[in-house]
Amino acid sequence: LVNGDPVGSLLPLLNIAVEIWFTIEISDNIYSGLLAAQQEGMSCRKGWSLGYSRRKTETGSITSFQFSISLEGNQGDGSGKFTIVSFSSNTTHAGVWNHLIATYDGKYVIMIHNGKEMVRTKACPDLNCGKIVYPATYHHGGNCRVKRSPLTIGTYDNQGLNTFQHFGQIKSARIFNQSLSLAQAQILYEKHSKALENSPTAQGDYWVRSDNIKRIKISKNPLANISGYPFYEFSADLLLKNSTSSPTLNQAPAGKAFIVEVYGKFLLKHKYFCSFRFPSQQSITWPGEVLCSSSTCFANDNHVDFDLEYGDTLRCVTAGIQANSHRAALFGVLRRQSISGLHEMVWQKVCQSEECHISNNISTNSSSWWIYDSNPTLSGTPTVFYFMAESLILRWNTSTRSMLSPISFFYSVDSDGFHTSCSSHRSANIASHASACAGPLHVLVSSIVNIYAFNVESETYVLVANSWDGLSDFSQSPVFRFDTAANSLILMQVINTKDAQKWIHLKVNGILAVFVADFGGPSVIFDWQAGSAPINTNKSVELDVSEGTISMDTFMVEDVTYVITAVFHNPEASSLYKIGRSVNSTHTAFGHSSENHSAFFLGKSISYLKLPWSCCDGIDRAFDVKHFCCLKLTLGANGLAHSSLKRVVAVTGYGNGYSTRIYLSDVTSNPPEFLFWQTLQTSTGTSIEFWESNASFILVTQMGNRSILAQWNGSMYQEPNTFVDSLGRRDGQYLFSNGACSAYHFTTSGRLQDVSEYILGAVADNESCTSSLLQGNQKVVSDLDGPLQIEAIFLNKTFLYVVSMRSHSITVFSHDTDLEVLEYEGFVGLKNNWTFSPTSATDPGRTTLSALIGVSAISASPDQMNLYAASFDSAAVLVFNIDQTNDHGGRLILVQIMNQRAHGSLLCLAGAFSIFANFKSVYVSSLTDQAVAVFSRHMDGKIAFVDALQNGDRRWNNNQPIQLGQSSARASVFFELNGVMHLALITNTSAAHGMGSLAIYSLRNNVSNPELLQIITNSFIAHATDMSYFSVYSIKRGYHQHYIAVCSEADSDVRSNINVFEWDPVSSA
C-alpha cells in the first residue's frame, strides 16, 4: 500500500488532506500517532504522519499537535527531510471530541483544528515542492527499509521498532487525494460536531472497566443505607482476586445485598443506576450513589459550577435481584437526565489517564470497552455479571428429624474455575472442618441444575451438572469427593460439558461408567477409573442425539445395562439404549452375549445399540424420565384373576391435557418392550419420583401447578379425584400447591417411629424457589372402629375430631383446603395417650385411659379452646384443651374428668350419649339415667355441675314438680287437638297382672294443672316401650283423624305388638 510509484500508487502523491475525529484519554505522553505512512531513521525520513503529545502541568495538560511530511523539494542528499508543522493547545480536554485536518496543496502545509486554521507553513524553500516521497522502491535516495512502513490508524509504527499508540477514541479517519480549503474543513466539522457532542461517549461521564486500577484512595466501608436499601459488608470470598477492579465485583449471590462499585466520572447533576440486563431482555436497575475517593474530583462545596461537578465512584447494591434460570447478566450504568427524566446508557470507556484511575503502563484493547446497542458503530466486549445460585447438600439428623446444611454450592466464574472458601454464615450444628475454618463449606461452581452423589467402595463422589448461564452453552462440570469426616468437598476433576443437565452412574459389564446428559450437544458416557481424575475422558462415547437430552435413567435386566433418555425439544427422539463394551473392532459384549457393532464404535471402549420404543405422543416438551421395578399387575381373564410383574417407565413434560405417559414391560423381557399403558393428568411436569412402601406410588411435580401423587391399585395409577377402586376409595393426593421443580422421596429409621417417610420438594413459583419437607408414615389408621360423630375447628388449618365408640378413641385429622388433603394427626384412646397428661397426683394415666371407655360423643366450644367428650360406659365427661401453637396446633390435652364414680350419681351421667357446649355451659344427655345434665363452663375450660333432670321430672310452675297420679311411666307424647295441647302417657298399671294404661290429659286450663280426660287399660300395652302421635286427613269424612300408636314388648302371654288408638271427635275421647 505504501508505494509512491506514480504508475500505481494508492496513496496521494501531488496533494493530500488527512482528516480524523478523535478524543484524547491520557494526560501525559511523549508522542501518539493518529494517522501515519512514514519511516524515520538516520538515512530514511520519508512519508507523512499526524499525531500529538501531551505534557502535564499544574493546571492541567498542554497538547501539541504535529504533522510531518516528506517532499521531493526537501530530499537533499536523498535520505529525505520532513517538513514539520505543529501547534499547541491548553483547552483540549480528555474525552472531548477533536476534529483535525492536515493538508498539503503543493506549496503550503496547513493544520485546521475544530474548523479553525491553527498554522500555515511553506512546504519547502522553492515554490514547487514536488510530490510526496514515500519509503518505497520508487525513490532510491537514502537507505529505507523496504516493506516495513504500514499505513496505520491509531498508532505510528516506525519500522516495527517503535510503536506510538493513541490513547482515546477514533470516530473516523479519511485521506483525500487533494488539499482542502478552510471552508471545506469547516463544512466537515459542522456536519458531525453536534452529533458527536450528543453521543454517549461525549457526555462528560463514563465508567471504566479494568482489572488493574491505580487507586489513590479507596473507601471500603459501605454506607449504612443507600437510597433506602440496607447493605451488607464486603465479603472477601466474593471479591475478584484484584480488589481494585472496576466493577469491584463480577458475581454475587442472587437475592442478597452486596455492594458493587464502578469507577469513572459521574456528574452530580445526574442520577445514576447500575443496570443488569439478562438474555431474556429483562433488565433490573438499582439506584447508585456517587462518591469521590480522589483529590482530582471536583465534587466539593467550593466549586461554583454544579454542571461540572463530578464524583469518581458509583456505588450500587445487588440486593433483590432474582436471576431465575439465567445466571449471567450484562452489566452497565444508566444515567437519568435531570430535565427529561429519560434513562440513557453511560459509556463503558477506554481510559488511560490517572483521572480514570488506570495506570499508564498497561495495554488496553477492544475487550476493555463496550456500549449497548445505542451506538452500533462502537464494538467491543460487554461486562458480564454473574448471579450465584446456592445449592445445598443436606444432612439428615435422625434424633431431631430435621435437615442440616453442612455444604453449600455457589456459582462462580473465577479464573481458576472452582475454589472453596469458608462461609461467613456459621452453624452450631456443623462440626469444625479439618481445615482452619468452621461452619458450612461453600463450593463456588457454575449454574447448577443437578447434583448427583454415589458411592464407589468406601468413597462418596459428587457430580455437578452445570448448565447454560444465559450467555454460553459451554460449561465446566466438576467432580468432587465428599470427605464425610470433615464435612467438606474435595475437587477432583473438571469435565467440559455443554449445558449439562444430569449425571448418573451405571455398570457396563461389571465396570463402572458415568453418563452426562448434555442439552447443548451430544450426551456422553465416560469410563470411571481410580485415581485423582476418576472420569476417563479418553474412553467415552457420544449418543446419537445431537442435542436436547434433558434427563435419563438406567436399569439392568439380568446382566445387561439399559439407558432410557428424554429429549426436550423432540420427545419422539427419546430413546432406549442397550449399553455394552467393545471387545474388538467388530463386536460388542452386552452382558454375556456378543453382537456386531458399526464402524462408529471403532476404538471406543463403550458401545450401544438403539432399541425400538414408540414414545411420548402428546408431550410437547419432555422434562424427565424414570424407570421403576416392579409393579404387580392384576387382571381378570376368563373370570379368573392372575398377576404378573411389570417394569414401568414414565415420561413427563409439557403437553395438551395429558403429559405424563406410563409404559409397561414384562419384568423378564430382555430386551424390554415398553408399551403405552396410561396417562396422568399433568400439563407442566418437571420431575418424576417412584417408590414402594405399603403400596407403589408415583409423584409428578409440576411448575406452577399442584404436584400429583398417584397410587398403583393393581391395574393403573389412581390420581386424586379421578379413579375409584373397588371399595369406593379415591387414592392419590395433591402436593405443593404453588408448584415444584423437583422432589425426592426417602425413608428413615428413628426413635419415635420405626419407619418414617419424607418427601423433600423444591417448591418454585415465578419469583423464587424454596425447599419444603413433607412427612408421611406407613401406619394405617386403625382407631376408627365405630365412628359416631365428627367435630371441626379452624386454627392455622382445619382440624377434625372423630369419636369412635368401639375403639374408645378420639381421632384427630387436619384438612389442607388448598391441597384437598386429609392428614392423619393421631388419636387419644386406650392404645395411645400421646396427648395426655395426668390432671393430678390422684388421677394418674390409668384413670385417664379408663375414662375413655365407651366414649360416645364430643362437642367443641365456640371459642375453639376446648373439646368436651361424653363416655357411655364410664359415665363421665372429659375436658380437653386444644393446643393453639403452630407446631402442635389441634392436639388434645386432658385437663379434667367429671364422672359418677368420683362425684356421685347426682350427675346423672350413666349412659352419657350426647353432649353440647356453648360459651357458658355444657349439656349432656344420658340414655341409662334418662336424664339431661347441665354444667357451667369456666374461663379455663373446666366445668362444674349445675343441675340434672331425669325422665319423670317436670319442673313447671316455678320448678315445682307436677304430680300426674300415674306410676311407672314408660313413655309420653304431646299433641294438639282443636287448638288445645294434650298429653298422652303410657304406664304399667299392674305388671304382675299383665295390664297397662294409656292416660290422656288436657292442658286447656293451665299447664300446671293438667285435666285427666281418659284412661284406657288393657293387656296389649302392659309392656309398652314407646309411643307416637300422628294425623291423617280423611277425604271421605272431610277432617283430620288423630291417632296414637303404642309399641309393646312381648311376654309369656302376649306377643310384641303395635296398638293404634283413634280419637273420636264426638265423644272427645
Side-chain angles (χ1 to χ4, degrees), residues 872 909-912 926-931 950:
F872 185 94
L909 293 177
S926 303
L927 195 63
T928 303
D929 278 342
Q930 298 190 42
Q950 290 183 276

Short mmCIF file of all heavy atoms in Angstrom, two decimals, residues 872 909-912 926-931 950:
data_model
loop_
_atom_site.label_atom_id
_atom_site.label_comp_id
_atom_site.label_asym_id
_atom_site.label_seq_id
_atom_site.Cartn_x
_atom_site.Cartn_y
_atom_site.Cartn_z
N PHE A 872 -70.13 -43.20 77.53
CA PHE A 872 -71.32 -44.00 77.84
C PHE A 872 -71.02 -44.97 78.98
O PHE A 872 -71.74 -45.03 79.97
CB PHE A 872 -71.77 -44.75 76.60
CG PHE A 872 -73.05 -45.53 76.75
CD1 PHE A 872 -74.25 -44.97 76.38
CD2 PHE A 872 -73.05 -46.82 77.27
CE1 PHE A 872 -75.43 -45.68 76.51
CE2 PHE A 872 -74.23 -47.53 77.43
CZ PHE A 872 -75.43 -46.95 77.04
N LEU A 909 -75.06 -39.17 84.73
CA LEU A 909 -74.26 -39.39 83.52
C LEU A 909 -74.21 -40.84 83.08
O LEU A 909 -73.48 -41.17 82.13
CB LEU A 909 -72.82 -38.88 83.75
CG LEU A 909 -72.64 -37.38 83.92
CD1 LEU A 909 -71.19 -37.04 84.21
CD2 LEU A 909 -73.12 -36.63 82.68
N ALA A 910 -74.95 -41.73 83.74
CA ALA A 910 -74.94 -43.14 83.34
C ALA A 910 -75.51 -43.26 81.94
O ALA A 910 -76.61 -42.82 81.66
CB ALA A 910 -75.73 -43.96 84.34
N GLY A 911 -74.70 -43.86 81.05
CA GLY A 911 -75.14 -43.98 79.66
C GLY A 911 -75.06 -42.67 78.90
O GLY A 911 -75.86 -42.45 77.97
N ALA A 912 -74.12 -41.78 79.28
CA ALA A 912 -73.97 -40.49 78.59
C ALA A 912 -73.82 -40.73 77.09
O ALA A 912 -72.96 -41.50 76.65
CB ALA A 912 -72.76 -39.73 79.13
N SER A 926 -78.19 -38.53 78.85
CA SER A 926 -77.76 -39.87 79.24
C SER A 926 -78.88 -40.86 78.99
O SER A 926 -80.03 -40.64 79.38
CB SER A 926 -77.35 -39.91 80.71
OG SER A 926 -76.32 -38.97 80.96
N LEU A 927 -78.52 -41.98 78.36
CA LEU A 927 -79.52 -42.97 77.96
C LEU A 927 -79.96 -43.81 79.15
O LEU A 927 -81.15 -44.07 79.34
CB LEU A 927 -78.94 -43.86 76.86
CG LEU A 927 -79.94 -44.70 76.07
CD1 LEU A 927 -80.90 -43.82 75.31
CD2 LEU A 927 -79.19 -45.59 75.09
N THR A 928 -79.01 -44.25 79.97
CA THR A 928 -79.35 -45.12 81.10
C THR A 928 -80.12 -44.36 82.17
O THR A 928 -81.15 -44.81 82.67
CB THR A 928 -78.08 -45.73 81.70
OG1 THR A 928 -77.37 -46.44 80.68
CG2 THR A 928 -78.41 -46.67 82.85
N ASP A 929 -79.60 -43.17 82.52
CA ASP A 929 -80.29 -42.35 83.53
C ASP A 929 -81.49 -41.63 82.97
O ASP A 929 -82.25 -41.00 83.74
CB ASP A 929 -79.32 -41.32 84.11
CG ASP A 929 -78.45 -41.91 85.22
OD1 ASP A 929 -78.82 -42.97 85.75
OD2 ASP A 929 -77.39 -41.31 85.52
N GLN A 930 -81.71 -41.68 81.67
CA GLN A 930 -82.80 -40.95 81.02
C GLN A 930 -82.85 -39.52 81.57
O GLN A 930 -83.86 -39.07 82.11
CB GLN A 930 -84.14 -41.66 81.24
CG GLN A 930 -84.18 -43.05 80.65
CD GLN A 930 -85.57 -43.66 80.65
OE1 GLN A 930 -86.54 -42.97 80.34
NE2 GLN A 930 -85.67 -44.93 80.99
N ALA A 931 -81.68 -38.83 81.37
CA ALA A 931 -81.54 -37.52 82.01
C ALA A 931 -80.77 -36.57 81.11
O ALA A 931 -80.08 -36.97 80.16
CB ALA A 931 -80.82 -37.67 83.35
N GLN A 950 -84.21 -35.90 85.15
CA GLN A 950 -84.42 -37.25 84.65
C GLN A 950 -85.85 -37.39 84.12
O GLN A 950 -86.71 -36.55 84.37
CB GLN A 950 -84.19 -38.27 85.76
CG GLN A 950 -82.72 -38.39 86.17
CD GLN A 950 -82.52 -39.45 87.21
OE1 GLN A 950 -82.71 -39.19 88.40
NE2 GLN A 950 -82.17 -40.65 86.78
#
